[in-house]
Amino acid sequence: MTGPTSRPPRRSALLRATTVVAAVVPLCTAGWFGWRALDDSGPAGASAAASPGAVVSTSQAPGTPMAPPAGSTPTGATPTGTPTETSTPTAETPTPETPTAAPPADLTGRTIVLDPGHNPGNFAHPTEINRQVDIGNAHKECDTTGTETDAGYTEADYTLDVTRRARALLTARGAKVVFTQDGDRPWGPCVDERARAGADAHADVAVSVHGDGGPASGSGFHVIMPARVVAGKADNSAIVEPSHRLGLLLRDRFHAATGEPYADYVADEGLDTRSDLGGLNLSAVPKVFIECGNMRNSADARRMTDPQWRQQAAQGIADALTAFLTTH
């Protein structure tokens, strides 16, 4: 704010011109340096380490390797052509908004399921992942391979990296974090098993993390919330309302942390409500999906392959879950 208005003493024209030039030059210079400093596919078709002892996996096939170190990719999982990561944001990277306030950080006694979409090994198991499973109102594939960027960075590798980073943040706040898979099984799990993970873990909440394979001309992120489904083995009536509250929090916190715009190919301000996803139809705990960006779009792909941006994505997810668990 400025102080009370007052009339300054008169100055000569030469003195006023000199003052204007002296004021404008530093401002332009500062502005130039500021600019230099910025910089089911998805469920429809479709790394930071946790504290020691914090990893809990819902299942692991006998004889399969344990999860790789944080930030690494399971051996043989990533197709040839995966780009070398760089921590330098590009000029296209949106400027994250400054969060208004950090959410409360005590999640002691709370349990969260994180569901990294797809699995790096799904490519080698087409028979298993194409098996049809009952999602209540339909039958769908057990799982899919997911999408990837033009350079070959897969959705499955992206989701594992971001969820591991989110796990580290959440366990530091006292939460118990359960993964549906942590690169520790050869394929899957199926969507119905992923949905059961929340109930099996007696979790308070669950989030499934994805990268979308939308039209190449489209960009941005969106959150998918459950429609009410009461059909066959599905009855998610009890979770629809809290899941929608979680979806709004996740949209707002993810946008604040990353600066990523709402998807311009989804109609409702970064929100979508669906009844065709087994992971939502069959869940017994509040759950949403997040499509963190469109991996088929070149600008989104540049952001999603940047580890610094992926840390911001994990921050937005962790902050939304924290807000959900501490404000009701």
Side-chain angles (χ1 to χ4, degrees), residues 226 235-244 279-287:
D235 183 353
N236 65 1
S237 303
I239 72 159
V240 169
E241 187 280 327
S243 295
H244 280 225
L280 299 180
N281 290 6
L282 303 175
S283 181
V285 305
K287 183 177 182 180

Side-chain angles (χ1 to χ4, degrees), residues 185-207:
R185 54 186 294 164
W187 56 273
C190 294
V191 294
D192 54 347
E193 183 181 346
R194 291 174 187 267
R196 288 195 304 271
D200 291 346
H202 304 288
D204 298 289
V205 65
V207 170

Side-chain angles (χ1 to χ4, degrees), residues 5-320:
T5 303
S6 60
R7 182 180 300 277
R10 296 179 60 83
R11 293 177 292 178
S12 69
L14 177 59
L15 178 57
R16 288 196 301 272
T18 303
T19 303
V20 169
V21 171
V24 168
V25 170
L27 287 173
C28 292
T29 304
W32 184 86
F33 280 110
W35 177 84
R36 293 288 295 172
L38 293 176
D39 178 19
D40 324 357
S41 86
S47 174
S51 303
V55 178
V56 183
S57 181
T58 56
S59 62
Q60 178 177 339
T64 55
M66 293 302 293
S72 68
T73 300
T75 303
T78 305
T80 302
T82 300
T84 301
E85 294 180 350
T86 172
S87 60
T88 304
T90 63
E92 292 84 355
T93 302
T95 305
E97 297 177 9
T98 302
T100 54
D106 185 9
L107 296 178
T108 303
R110 311 311 291 266
T111 299
I112 298 167
V113 166
L114 292 180
D115 178 26
H118 313 289
N119 184 316
N122 280 358
F123 288 96
H125 295 272
T127 300
E128 291 87 347
I129 67 172
N130 286 326
R131 177 174 64 85
Q132 296 288 297
V133 298
D134 183 1
I135 65 168
N137 58 359
H139 284 76
K140 294 191 72 171
E141 295 83 1
C142 158
D143 202 4
T144 68
T145 59
T147 189
E148 62 183 27
T149 67
D150 287 344
Y153 181 58
T154 68
E155 180 183 359
D157 285 334
Y158 170 83
T159 64
L160 274 174
D161 183 82
V162 171
T163 51
R164 287 169 178 163
R165 292 171 186 268
R167 176 174 62 193
L169 294 168
L170 292 164
T171 55
R173 298 175 186 181
K176 175 184 177 182
V177 179
V178 177
F179 270 32
T180 57
Q181 61 92 14
D182 196 4
D184 52 359
R185 54 186 294 164
W187 56 273
C190 294
V191 294
D192 54 347
E193 183 181 346
R194 291 174 187 267
R196 288 195 304 271
D200 291 346
H202 304 288
D204 298 289
V205 65
V207 170
S208 188
V209 178
H210 288 265
D212 205 8
S217 60
S219 64
F221 83 99
H222 66 283
V223 176
I224 302 173
M225 305 178 297
R228 182 175 179 269
V229 175
V230 181
K233 62 190 293 187
D235 183 353
N236 65 1
S237 303
I239 72 159
V240 169
E241 187 280 327
S243 295
H244 280 225
R245 188 168 67 84
L246 171 63
L248 289 169
L249 286 169
L250 183 54
R251 181 195 65 174
D252 295 346
R253 297 305 173 100
F254 190 87
H255 178 66
T258 65
E260 181 80 355
Y262 304 149
D264 55 19
Y265 56 97
V266 174
D268 192 14
E269 293 293 307
L271 299 172
D272 195 11
T273 301
R274 291 173 55 175
S275 62
D276 63 328
L277 300 176
L280 299 180
N281 290 6
L282 303 175
S283 181
V285 305
K287 183 177 182 180
V288 297
F289 283 50
I290 181 167
E291 299 281 6
C292 298
N294 180 13
M295 301 187 83
R296 307 306 302 165
N297 175 270
S298 59
D300 278 5
R302 280 193 292 272
R303 289 188 280 272
M304 296 172 80
T305 53
D306 179 356
Q308 180 179 338
W309 189 90
R310 292 199 301 272
Q311 184 64 33
Q312 294 170 349
Q315 185 75 50
I317 293 168
D319 286 352

